[in-house]
Amino acid sequence: MPELLNPADPGFARDPYPYYARLRSQGPAARVPLANGTHAWLVTGYEQARAVLADPRFSNVPAAGAGRPKPDSPAQRARGCLARHMLNSDAPDHVRLRRLTTAAFTPRRVDALRPRIERLTDELLAPLVSRAAAGEPADLVDAFAFPLPVLVIGEVLGVPEADRADLREWTYRVGSPTDALERGAVDEAWTRLHAYFTALIAHKRREPGEDLFSALVHDAGEATEGGLDDGELLAMAFLLLFAGYETTMNLLASAALLLLTHPDELAAARQGGERHWEAVVEETLRHASPLEGTTWRRTTERVDLGGGAVIPAEDSVLVVLAAANRDPGRFPSPDAFRPARYLADTERPAPHLAFGHGPHFCLGSRLARLEAAVALPRLFAALPALRLAADPATLPYRPGLLVRGPRRLPVR
């Protein structure tokens, strides 16, 4: 019987990999008791994870009545908007939502953001350079890894520059533990985000801009197969905001931490140029998956995954991307951080699952890679003497099984 899993345990949040390795040694998937008294199937094997992510018998639609009833309030209604996003849907609804969204997120449109990402990165680095010159410490998450993706998502959503400070503040609040803020601050932020995005959608319908969200609002409204209604657009705005900043924030913070604790790899990246920085990004995505797990799934029928894992119908299933990306059956020396494995054609590993697989593959993967490939070399070029100012073993991590990355990264 697998040991009890408590995702809120700080030790587990900081280093879940030994637990996942023990779980994988018992089979590619296991029914695990959770600290809240429930059970769930965790898929930790690479091949089984790929299979589940592409198998329609694993539904993304939550079971009817899932979750506890919440009191009606503007903040709760704002949270409820997220229930309509495409990660919580199956075909044919998911196919329609995905097709409309993909049309707005073409590679050409995403790549056109590079000059703005470069400018935003340099603007964030300027005060960090000044603080470094004065010998002042900084938190790299708070000063860089968090604000950059939020500002980039502001570009994607077409948020006017005058409003981006508010967007950053509201996003910071809803992503913070409630006990770290004043009473009511999180609910107020949800309410303000809901009102802001409702007004933004109406504005984009009247006066579309050159941003990706305008393209989504405009193109989806004209789609012959049924465009996005206001509720779906609102859910999409929230999804773009939270999925966009959380994933990239964790990618940037984890990559910086890995490079600061692996000086030889940092030196190799500095000397190796663009291709080596891209390898750093890919190895970080594999080694320190910013998405620890996928959204929860449930079986619509009994499924035999092999290896003794037979999952009954209507059971909860979580594909643990962080575990699959360290499966020794697919990745030699899986616990080692070695960007070079992505540079040698003879050693090139299996595709990592950091952005999922199958019909729900992360739509923002190209943008996240672009942000990291731009930001990381600029960060270490602007601050060549950057050093970690804390013991890595003491850094706090976000609890849970969905996203993973350091919540603070003190540097000098």
Side-chain angles (χ1 to χ4, degrees):
M1 179 71 175
E3 61 193 273
L4 181 73
L5 173 58
N6 180 11
D9 175 60
F12 173 82
R14 188 179 304 113
D15 185 13
Y17 301 106
Y19 177 89
Y20 293 144
R22 292 193 297 273
L23 201 62
R24 193 188 305 105
S25 69
Q26 301 173 39
R31 188 170 182 264
V32 174
L34 304 180
N36 64 3
T38 64
H39 288 74
W41 287 84
L42 266 58
V43 181
T44 55
Y46 178 88
E47 295 297 343
Q48 291 73 21
R50 280 177 62 93
V52 169
L53 293 173
D55 192 332
R57 294 176 297 176
F58 293 86
S59 173
N60 281 61
V61 177
R68 298 176 181 175
K70 304 291 195 308
D72 185 51
S73 69
Q76 193 53 45
R77 288 194 290 273
R79 290 183 176 92
C81 290
L82 284 169
R84 297 191 63 185
H85 65 66
M86 63 183 176
L87 296 186
N88 281 349
S89 64
D90 297 332
D93 284 344
H94 178 263
V95 174
R96 177 180 66 89
L97 293 169
R98 180 86 182 193
R99 183 183 298 118
L100 292 169
T101 310
T102 301
F105 280 76
T106 62
R108 178 182 60 82
R109 281 173 165 159
V110 171
D111 292 346
L113 289 168
R114 176 181 281 271
R116 292 289 294 145
I117 295 172
E118 292 172 346
R119 196 191 99 182
L120 292 169
T121 299
D122 293 342
E123 289 175 353
L124 286 172
L125 285 173
L128 276 173
V129 171
S130 297
R131 293 174 68 176
E136 298 176 5
D139 178 355
L140 208 56
V141 173
D142 181 64
F144 188 70
F146 166 69
L148 178 61
V150 172
L151 292 171
V152 173
I153 288 298
E155 294 284 331
V156 170
L157 294 171
V159 174
E161 289 200 30
D163 297 341
R164 291 183 188 178
D166 286 337
L167 181 66
R168 177 180 172 181
E169 175 61 23
W170 299 331
T171 306
Y172 172 78
R173 291 188 196 178
V174 299
S176 299
T178 54
D179 58 2
L181 302 171
E182 294 180 6
R183 182 180 179 86
V186 174
D187 282 351
E188 180 191 13
W190 273 108
T191 302
R192 288 183 178 274
L193 280 169
H194 184 278
Y196 185 83
F197 284 143
T198 299
L200 184 69
I201 290 167
H203 175 72
K204 298 297 182 187
R205 288 198 189 281
R206 296 191 306 269
E207 302 176 38
E210 297 298 319
D211 54 273
L212 275 68
F213 194 58
S214 285
L216 182 60
V217 172
H218 182 71
D219 295 348
E222 295 184 349
T224 56
E225 70 268 34
L228 301 178
D229 60 33
D230 281 359
E232 289 170 328
L233 283 169
L234 199 56
M236 188 61 67
F238 277 111
L239 179 61
L240 291 174
L241 176 63
F242 297 122
Y245 95 79
E246 277 276 11
T247 303
T248 309
M249 175 182 70
N250 292 329
L251 170 57
L252 291 173
S254 294
L257 175 59
L258 284 167
L259 290 170
L260 289 171
T261 53
H262 294 77
D264 291 345
E265 296 297 349
L266 176 55
R270 282 174 159 152
Q271 297 168 9
E274 182 178 350
R275 187 163 176 259
H276 204 113
W277 282 109
E278 291 173 353
V280 166
V281 173
E282 293 307 314
E283 178 67 341
T284 302
L285 287 167
R286 183 204 68 80
H287 182 275
S289 302
L291 294 176
E292 187 165 352
T294 61
T295 51
W296 287 91
R297 286 164 164 77
R298 61 181 177 85
T299 47
T300 59
E301 60 183 79
R302 180 178 179 273
V303 179
D304 187 347
L305 279 182
V310 180
I311 306 177
E314 296 300 323
D315 264 18
S316 296
V317 179
L318 181 71
V319 176
V320 187
L321 303 175
N325 284 336
R326 292 205 188 188
D327 185 339
R330 299 301 300 184
F331 301 99
S333 305
D335 295 325
F337 175 66
R338 290 197 302 111
R341 73 176 82 220
Y342 282 90
L343 294 170
D345 292 337
T346 57
E347 192 186 1
R348 197 167 185 84
H352 62 67
L353 301 179
F355 292 114
H357 175 67
H360 287 273
F361 182 81
C362 178
L363 190 69
S365 61
R366 189 180 188 92
L367 180 58
R369 284 184 166 103
L370 176 60
E371 290 181 61
V374 167
L376 289 171
R378 275 175 148 72
L379 168 67
F380 286 99
L383 297 165
L386 192 66
R387 296 290 183 271
L388 194 62
D391 181 351
T394 65
L395 295 176
Y397 277 72
R398 179 75 57 86
L401 294 168
L402 181 58
V403 296
R404 185 171 189 279
R407 290 173 56 183
R408 290 190 303 104
L409 193 56
V411 295
R412 291 187 180 277

